Amino acid sequence: MVNEEQGRQTESQVPLVVVMGVAGSGKSTVGSLLAERLGVRYAEADDFHPPANVAKMSAGTPLDDEDRRPWLDAIGVWLAEHSDRGGVVSCSALRRRYRDRLREQSGARLFFLHLDGSEELVSARMAGRKGHFMPPALLRSQFETLEPLEEDERGAAVPVGGPPGEVTDEALAALTP
C-alpha cells in the first residue's frame, strides 16, 4: 500500500477514485463494484478513447503519448465534473505523467487504486476475455510502460489474485479509516 494515511477518507470527504493498472487487471469490474458500494457514478475510460485510438490498439499498435493526450484530458474533465459528488473511473494511468495530467486536468484530489497482478495472471485473464479491442499481444508493452505509484502519490496498490468482491473489499479498506 502506498501512502496509507493520505488515502484515508473522512466521512465528510467524497472519494474520487481512479482504478488503474494494465489491461486485464480487472479495472472495469472492480471499478464498477467500487462505485456501486460507494454510491457514486462510474465511468469506463475505454469509452473516452477516440475511434482512431481504438483502431490503433485493435491493430496491435500501442498508443503513444500524443494519442493519449486527448483521452486523458477527457477523463480529467469527467473527474472535474464529479469532484463535488465523487466518482470512480477505470483508467490504465500507467505512467506517472499520465496520473499527473489527470490531477492537473481535473483540479481534484484523486485517489489512485492500482490493481496489481503478475503478468502471468493477467495474461491468463485476458486469454479468456471476449469482445475487447485490446489484444493480448499488447500486454507486454503495458507491463513495460507501468510505473507503480510513487511515495508522494495518493493511493494504494491492491493485489488482484482473489475474486472481484475480495479485491473490492480491499479497495474499500484502502479508502476508508
Side-chain angles (χ1 to χ4, degrees):
M1 188 170 296
V2 176
N3 288 335
E4 183 175 336
E5 290 305 312
Q6 289 179 349
R8 302 295 182 195
Q9 301 286 322
T10 65
E11 289 183 78
S12 63
Q13 292 175 313
V14 181
L16 199 54
V17 181
V18 176
V19 180
M20 62 168 280
V22 298
S25 62
K27 296 182 300 292
S28 299
T29 301
V30 172
S32 62
L33 288 171
L34 184 61
E36 182 179 312
R37 303 249 316 258
L38 291 169
V40 297
R41 297 282 313 260
Y42 170 72
E44 166 57 61
D46 287 345
D47 296 339
F48 292 84
H49 275 298
N53 283 8
V54 174
K56 193 171 183 179
M57 289 183 284
S58 295
T61 305
L63 300 179
D64 59 29
D65 286 355
E66 198 59 36
D67 297 322
R68 287 185 182 94
R69 184 168 295 125
W71 174 66
L72 290 168
D73 291 350
I75 295 166
V77 168
W78 187 92
L79 288 163
E81 291 171 350
H82 291 81
S83 64
D84 63 335
R85 56 189 179 272
V88 175
V89 64
S90 57
C91 173
S92 55
L94 298 176
R95 291 192 187 275
R96 168 69 187 250
R97 67 178 169 260
Y98 305 157
R99 297 187 295 270
D100 288 345
R101 188 162 188 94
L102 290 172
R103 281 188 281 269
E104 291 165 12
Q105 292 298 316
S106 69
R109 187 160 186 235
L110 305 177
F111 186 91
F112 289 90
L113 181 69
H114 176 194
L115 299 185
D116 191 21
S118 71
E119 188 171 349
E120 296 74 27
L121 171 67
V122 175
S123 181
R125 287 181 174 184
M126 283 186 79
R129 178 164 89 167
K130 304 287 185 242
H132 195 276
F133 62 81
M134 179 70 144
L138 290 181
L139 183 59
R140 171 91 304 260
S141 73
Q142 292 230 317
F143 272 98
E144 290 170 354
T145 300
L146 176 65
E147 296 172 356
L149 293 170
E150 296 180 23
E151 285 298 317
D152 65 331
E153 293 187 276
R154 187 169 173 261
V158 175
V160 296
E166 284 181 17
V167 176
T168 304
D169 289 343
E170 289 188 45
L172 282 167
L175 284 167
T176 57

